[in-house]
Amino acid sequence: MPARARTAVTGWAYGHAERLHPVALAFALMFFAASMTPSLLPRAWYLQAVATGLSSVIGYGLGCFVVWVVRGCGLSPRFSARTRRLGWRVLGWTSVVVVPLALVLGTYWQRIVRELVGRTSAPYGTYLAVLPLALLIAATILLVARGIRALSQRIILRLERFLPAPVARLIGVMLVVVLVVLAADVTVQRGLVATAERAAQVADRDTPPGVVRPTSPLRSGSPESPERWETLGSEGRRFVAGGSNAEAIGAVTQRAALDPIRVYAGRDSAGPGGDERDVAARVVAELDRTGAFERGTLAVATTTGTGWVNETIASAFEHVTSGDCAIAAMQYSYLPSPVAFVVDRETPRAAGQALLEAVQARLATIPEVQRPRLVVFGESLGSYGSQAAFPDAEALVTGVDGALLVGTPGFAEPWGTITANRDAGSLERLPVVDGGAAIRFAASPEDLELDGAPWGDHRIVFWQHASDPVTWWSTDLLLQRPDWLREPAGPDVDPGVRWFPVVTFWQVSLDMVFSLDVPDGHGHAYGLDAVDLWAAIVQPEGWDGQATARVRAALAESR
């Protein structure tokens, strides 16, 4: 390249580079490297790019804040042009070393995480695509932020024409904040969320392939049921059409069995103006119609956003009880769980509480000696909703005869309080509560044993994996290291996982995207261990390990 052209290119590069502060870029580089470290689950390269881009631009912003504070304190040193050029060269050469090293190490760490959760490893070259996409994401966010700052400055300059400067700055900043909040509300709440709900509502009308309307009067949606098949929703139809009959259950358990009862009501079954309590009343009416209150055990299941019930957990319960049971559930939303997880945390609680209270009110009319045992279960938002009626651990233990609460989100209560008040010396990922007298936590069935400690008749089980980001995600991760990252790592978590401010929050957030895309026993994938856990909770007479093994094999074959 001719000397003049080379000088022009160099000048252009320096001109644009000097618009970025070197201290802020150093922070961005540190956050870039930290974002490549392992977290709970393996991440696809594009998710890694999102985590890296977000972390890097936040690091840059933090660096800018540090510079602003230093300047505000009058401590900013003055460097010569030669010193500044030298600083830029040091930063550049450091980046040349750190960036490729972080990419290589990130690929290596991802292979370790994949092996821990039983996933095949991605090709080594895949992570090379992280850098350009991460830079694009970071640059886009930075440009938007600078645009907002420019808008704020323009508003302030106009206001300063007729207002004192401090007042103009205050009002200008407030106006920009309001504009940004309104834009975000229109874009996210009224745009993305509304679009997602409309799409989900359309999908809710479809019946999943292979799902056929039940003919048994013991199922909602059957010809004898007042709950019309069309009103149950896609997941409701899947639920009432699933499961086994008495013959199939008896063949597996090798004991006499009944046809299990499954009742369900869709979100719109109560008609215009109806709410969760109206839908819950229809579910109780179905329980009465099917004779569910004459069964040995009655389960109230709180669903996830779209009305989904984990079929393996439901079928495991029916096998362990030999079909002498009923499961009651209802749909409360059209939103997919990831969307509801972010924008609607009130409806799952309202639905869970409404259904449980309606069932408990009906049970109170039955003589105590004739009542079925009452258990609750739910997964993810279902676990969150199932706990809504219980203000504390004591209410949970005394309010039901048993519970299986699966993959509980970290914001759920009383899960959070129970975990925080665990016995001294027990782990946050596997708390011990009152020596395991009533409440026990398990990642696998063996965790329930607690060295033979006595366990009462009211048995509450929180089932959670060490590698489940849904359980361990919290906004506290932004600035606070949790106990589960201070303690020894779980068996499927890389011991090299470390906490970094801000970075770990984005890593765990993006781990949730594919938290189901791992084998059972890891992440947010909960399956056949439900047989063992239900057997421990329900305690069927004469049940043994061979019966558990037969049920596990049968459910594995049917999945």
Side-chain angles (χ1 to χ4, degrees):
M1 179 183 294
R4 183 176 298 178
R6 186 165 57 247
T7 301
V9 171
T10 303
W12 180 88
Y14 272 119
H16 280 73
E18 287 181 352
R19 297 177 63 185
L20 301 172
H21 199 283
V23 173
L25 285 175
F27 272 79
L29 183 61
M30 287 189 293
F31 275 58
F32 175 94
S35 73
M36 300 300 295
T37 59
S39 57
L40 297 177
L41 294 175
R43 294 188 294 273
W45 71 269
Y46 46 88
L47 289 182
Q48 178 62 62
V50 173
T52 299
L54 289 170
S55 298
S56 299
V57 77
I58 291 172
Y60 182 85
L62 179 61
C64 289
F65 176 75
V66 170
V67 171
W68 177 78
V69 170
V70 170
R71 285 177 175 171
C73 296
L75 302 176
S76 181
R78 295 182 178 274
F79 296 108
S80 66
R82 182 173 180 275
T83 302
R84 289 198 298 270
R85 284 196 297 270
L86 178 61
W88 277 108
R89 289 194 182 101
V90 170
L91 180 61
W93 283 110
T94 302
S95 302
V96 168
V97 174
V98 170
V99 170
L101 180 62
L103 290 169
V104 171
L105 289 175
T107 304
Y108 169 72
W109 285 322
Q110 285 297 307
R111 293 177 73 89
I112 293 175
V113 175
R114 286 177 174 273
E115 290 172 2
L116 285 170
V117 299
R119 290 283 304 277
T120 56
S121 296
Y124 271 109
T126 304
Y127 255 46
L128 295 177
V130 168
L131 181 59
L133 182 56
L135 290 175
L136 176 62
I137 292 169
T140 301
I141 296 173
L142 184 59
L143 287 173
V144 170
R146 288 188 167 185
I148 293 173
R149 185 181 66 179
L151 175 63
S152 175
Q153 291 172 340
R154 178 167 294 187
I155 293 174
I156 291 170
L157 287 174
R158 290 183 178 274
L159 291 174
E160 283 180 344
R161 295 176 181 177
F162 51 88
L163 290 174
V167 176
R169 292 191 187 98
L170 177 62
I171 295 176
V173 170
M174 291 178 62
L175 284 174
V176 170
V177 169
V178 170
L179 288 173
V180 170
V181 170
L182 288 175
D185 178 68
V186 170
T187 302
V188 177
Q189 185 66 38
R190 303 181 188 179
L192 298 178
V193 174
T195 300
E197 184 164 20
R198 286 194 297 270
Q201 190 170 359
V202 171
D204 194 58
R205 302 190 189 112
D206 296 332
T207 300
V211 171
V212 179
R213 183 184 183 187
T215 58
S216 169
L218 301 180
R219 302 295 177 100
S220 295
S222 65
E224 289 82 358
S225 172
E227 296 302 314
R228 294 187 297 111
W229 175 249
E230 295 78 12
T231 68
L232 298 182
S234 179
E235 293 299 338
R237 290 191 287 273
R238 187 197 304 271
F239 171 67
V240 298
S244 301
N245 56 26
E247 182 181 358
I249 293 173
V252 174
T253 62
Q254 298 181 7
R255 55 178 65 196
L258 299 175
D259 285 328
I261 297 170
R262 292 190 179 189
V263 302
Y264 193 97
R267 172 182 168 179
D268 296 330
S269 63
D275 59 14
E276 292 86 4
R277 295 189 179 277
D278 298 311
V279 180
R282 297 184 68 89
V283 175
V284 172
E286 279 287 86
L287 290 172
D288 269 318
R289 181 189 66 80
T290 56
F293 294 106
E294 300 170 11
R295 293 298 178 97
T297 308
L298 171 59
V300 174
T302 304
T303 66
T304 60
T306 55
W308 177 77
V309 178
N310 186 319
E311 178 58 36
T312 302
I313 294 176
S315 290
F317 170 72
E318 291 169 339
H319 278 77
V320 167
T321 56
S322 296
D324 185 16
C325 64
I327 302 176
M330 60 184 258
Q331 180 190 27
Y332 56 81
S333 174
Y334 295 123
L335 288 175
S337 289
V339 180
F341 185 92
V342 176
V343 302
D344 183 14
R345 296 183 184 175
E346 183 54 37
T347 306
R349 289 181 58 82
Q353 186 167 0
L355 182 54
L356 182 61
E357 288 180 350
V359 171
Q360 287 176 323
R362 177 64 180 87
L363 286 171
T365 67
I366 303 173
E368 187 172 355
V369 295
Q370 298 176 11
R371 294 175 194 167
R373 290 180 298 176
L374 176 63
V375 300
V376 297
F377 73 90
E379 179 175 338
S380 195
L381 283 179
S383 175
Y384 169 66
S386 292
Q387 298 176 55
F390 308 106
D392 51 36
E394 182 180 0
L396 177 58
V397 173
T398 59
V400 293
D401 297 296
L404 181 57
L405 302 168
V406 184
T408 304
F411 50 77
E413 288 292 348
W415 176 91
T417 302
I418 293 170
T419 300
N421 295 331
R422 62 191 181 275
D423 294 356
S426 63
L427 303 176
E428 184 177 29
R429 63 178 173 86
L430 280 180
V432 178
V433 181
D434 294 330
I439 299 174
R440 298 195 177 184
F441 289 74
S444 62
E446 294 76 20
D447 296 323
L448 295 179
E449 297 174 2
L450 291 185
D451 297 324
W455 197 2
D457 289 332
H458 289 240
R459 299 186 170 190
I460 311 299
V461 173
F462 286 97
W463 184 12
Q464 56 195 41
H465 297 147
S467 58
D468 187 352
V470 173
T471 295
W472 307 119
W473 180 90
S474 169
T475 53
D476 292 345
L477 286 171
L478 284 166
L479 300 174
Q480 182 178 339
R481 181 170 62 172
D483 287 346
W484 58 270
L485 277 174
R486 303 175 190 268
E487 302 162 349
D492 58 347
V493 174
D494 187 344
V497 173
R498 296 290 182 270
W499 176 78
F500 298 96
V502 179
V503 173
T504 301
F505 170 81
W506 288 116
Q507 288 178 322
V508 176
S509 298
L510 292 167
D511 282 342
M512 289 194 290
V513 175
F514 290 122
S515 59
L516 287 168
D517 192 26
V518 290
D520 283 355
H522 307 287
H524 202 55
Y526 296 89
L528 296 176
D529 282 346
V531 181
D532 308 67
L533 300 180
W534 274 127
I537 295 167
V538 175
Q539 307 172 76
E541 186 176 353
W543 193 269
D544 56 23
Q546 292 182 344
T548 296
R550 288 195 299 270
V551 174
R552 287 181 67 108
L555 295 184
E557 187 176 348
S558 65
R559 296 177 77 185

